[in-house]
Amino acid sequence: MTANVITYRGRSAAREVGKTLGLPADTIERLSQLVSNWEYTDPGDSLLAHLGEAGCDPGEPRIQHFARLWSGIQDLPRHLGQHSGGMVIAQGRSTGWSA
């Protein structure tokens, strides 16, 4: 068995941040459906520019906070899992590990 680190990304991050901020369930769902399209190529393009597409007011403080938190937790570890099909590849011996 090897470790598998699950990280916050896209929809899961939007749902967690939305719940934490106490956003209504329908708003969380609209935001989480929109995030799959948030792949910016222009540095001037931002999450706040797309919040209107989800029916949110980008000027509302709680929505601005959502955008900051959502951006901030991308790729942070969410939980550790087990991956039964993994292998450890090492240049040298892999002894001395504690279980």
Side-chain angles (χ1 to χ4, degrees):
M1 298 276 192
T2 59
N4 185 21
V5 179
I6 311 305
T7 58
Y8 284 104
R9 289 193 219 163
R11 291 180 182 195
S12 68
R15 288 186 179 113
E16 292 293 324
V17 170
K19 284 189 252 179
T20 300
L21 294 177
L23 295 176
D26 63 322
T27 301
I28 294 170
E29 188 57 30
R30 284 195 315 269
L31 288 168
S32 68
Q33 293 298 317
L34 180 65
V35 293
S36 63
N37 298 324
W38 290 338
E39 293 183 23
Y40 307 118
T41 55
D42 180 351
D45 198 11
S46 71
L47 171 62
L48 288 174
H50 293 275
L51 290 173
E53 296 171 28
C56 298
D57 176 8
E60 204 254 307
R62 198 161 51 156
I63 295 300
Q64 290 178 352
H65 195 53
F66 168 88
R68 283 190 303 274
L69 290 174
W70 180 85
S71 297
I73 70 168
Q74 292 300 306
D75 299 320
L76 289 178
R78 182 169 188 247
H79 66 273
L80 186 63
Q82 290 181 341
H83 192 288
S84 59
M87 293 185 285
V88 175
I89 301 173
Q91 184 173 359
R93 293 179 61 132
S94 60
T95 59
W97 294 1
S98 60

